[in-house]
């Protein structure tokens, strides 16, 4: 084939490539600006009534105002699930996801104790096995220790009911062994993944499902947010009835929590336990 013939064949493909690039930089960029802010995904079309699994997502409108979730408060309530409290009162609910221990939980507990702030720690089963003393401290200091499953699976894809149930009951057994108490019946779905079926199963097992209305990128130990960035987003986006998701592994959280609680208090917020969710 002659080189000139090859060039002629490539021209239409080149034009298509340029058109695709133009869409990406134009319409595509506008779409991304509209639907994503500060790396937080907008809600998908799926809701709690969907039979397929989806990941929990939020869309923020104005600072200080409740964001929209994938599912409405009413849709979630039918399954005994929450992402926010329906109130104009300045109250918030602190929650921590606990996958493993790296030395940051103790200063977090110290800050909570200093401010008399109740929290919920959602633990996986291996965390209870490896850190029974910290789990006992959480319970002894009046915090809720919630269920985050044993293996951290996607519950929306766990079709076998016996396997689904075992993910929760194994954590219950480990908690009872470590503390001599029954675990409070609050579940944080791993990865925020859920479906109408998984929510209903959770309800049938006596649990409340707890999502969140405020979180930030604190989970990556290799890319921890700067102190001021964490304080900025967590004070700017706090709102009445917020359920706040933080991670116990975050060194930034351990460093800023005392100041963060002080700022929230100065803004007029009161800290409440999940047992008050209705």
């Amino acid at each position: 084939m002659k080189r000139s013939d090859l060039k002629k064949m490539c021209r239409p493909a080149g034009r298509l490539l340029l058109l695709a690039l133009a869409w990406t930089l134009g319409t595509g960029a506008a779409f991304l600006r509209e639907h994503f802010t500060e790396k937080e995904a907008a809600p998908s079309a799926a809701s709690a009534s969907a039979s397929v699994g989806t990941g929990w997502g939020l869309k923020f409108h104005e600072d200080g105002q409740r964001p929209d979730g994938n599912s409405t408060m009413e849709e979630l309530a039918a399954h005994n699930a929450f992402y926010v409290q329906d109130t104009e009162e300045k109250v918030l609910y602190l929650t921590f996801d606990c996958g493993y221990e790296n030395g940051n939980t103790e200063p977090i507990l110290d800050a909570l104790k200093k401010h008399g702030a109740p929290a919920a720690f959602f633990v996986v089963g291996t965390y209870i096995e490896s850190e029974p003393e910290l789990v006992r401290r959480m319970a002894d200091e009046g915090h809720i220790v919630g269920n985050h499953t044993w293996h951290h699976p996607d519950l929306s894809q766990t079709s076998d009911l016996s396997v689904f149930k075992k993910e929760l009951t194994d954590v219950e057994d480990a908690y009872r062994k470590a503390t001599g108490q029954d675990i409070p019946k609050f579940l944080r779905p791993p990865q925020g993944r859920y479906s109408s079926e998984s929510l209903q199963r959770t309800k049938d097992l006596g649990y409340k499902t707890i999502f969140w209305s405020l979180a930030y990128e604190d989970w990556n130990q290799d890319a921890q947010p700067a102190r001021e960035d964490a304080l900025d987003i967590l004070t700017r986006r706090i709102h009445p009835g917020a359920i706040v998701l933080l991670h116990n592994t975050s060194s930034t959280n351990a460093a800023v929590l005392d100041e963060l609680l002080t700022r929230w208090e100065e803004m007029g917020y009161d800290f409440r336990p999940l047992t008050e969710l209705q």
Side-chain angles (χ1 to χ4, degrees), residues 9 36 52 61 133 176 208 224 244-246 267 269:
M9 292 175 62
F36 293 82
V52 295
H61 302 287
E133 291 185 6
R176 191 177 299 110
K208 290 182 178 179
Q224 280 290 284
V244 183
L245 164 61
L246 302 174
M267 295 170 71
Y269 278 90

Side-chain angles (χ1 to χ4, degrees), residues 194-236:
Y194 72 106
S195 66
S196 60
E197 183 178 17
S198 70
L199 291 178
Q200 187 60 42
R201 282 180 171 182
T202 302
K203 180 182 178 181
D204 292 343
L205 291 170
Y207 279 83
K208 290 182 178 179
T209 297
I210 307 298
F211 292 106
W212 59 90
S213 62
L214 178 58
Y216 80 120
E217 294 187 15
D218 63 343
W219 57 86
N220 186 349
Q221 273 301 106
D222 296 326
Q224 280 290 284
R227 178 189 185 92
E228 286 307 317
D229 291 340
L231 289 169
D232 172 63
I233 193 168
L234 292 172
T235 54
R236 180 164 46 85

Side-chain angles (χ1 to χ4, degrees), residues 64-214:
Q65 300 297 314
R66 178 194 305 153
D68 292 328
N70 283 8
S71 301
T72 67
M73 290 183 289
E74 293 75 19
E75 289 170 332
L76 292 175
H79 299 279
N80 215 15
F82 300 83
Y83 86 98
V84 70
Q85 174 76 303
D86 186 12
T87 182
E88 294 303 318
E89 188 180 359
K90 283 192 170 184
V91 298
L92 62 85
Y93 302 84
L94 275 170
T95 71
F96 294 84
D97 280 5
C98 304
Y100 61 95
E101 182 54 40
N102 62 355
N104 291 308
T105 305
E106 285 198 36
I108 287 172
L109 286 167
D110 292 342
L112 294 170
K113 185 175 183 179
K114 176 180 176 180
H115 290 263
F121 291 85
F122 288 95
V123 298
V124 295
T126 51
Y127 189 90
I128 301 176
E129 282 191 328
S130 63
E131 305 295 336
E133 291 185 6
L134 278 176
V135 171
R136 285 192 289 269
R137 179 182 171 185
M138 293 170 187
D140 290 344
E141 294 184 357
H143 303 297
I144 289 170
V145 178
N147 202 321
H148 201 34
T149 73
W150 189 271
H151 295 105
H152 205 262
D154 179 351
L155 291 178
S156 72
Q157 300 300 313
T158 306
S159 58
D160 189 318
L161 179 58
S162 63
V163 174
F164 187 105
K165 184 177 180 180
K166 186 174 172 57
E167 282 292 335
L168 276 61
T169 56
D170 281 357
V171 177
E172 294 172 5
D173 293 342
Y175 183 79
R176 191 177 299 110
K177 180 179 179 181
T179 66
Q181 305 172 22
D182 290 333
I183 197 168
K185 291 294 188 77
F186 296 92
L187 174 74
R188 164 92 15 96
Q191 310 164 52
R193 300 284 302 175
Y194 72 106
S195 66
S196 60
E197 183 178 17
S198 70
L199 291 178
Q200 187 60 42
R201 282 180 171 182
T202 302
K203 180 182 178 181
D204 292 343
L205 291 170
Y207 279 83
K208 290 182 178 179
T209 297
I210 307 298
F211 292 106
W212 59 90
S213 62
L214 178 58

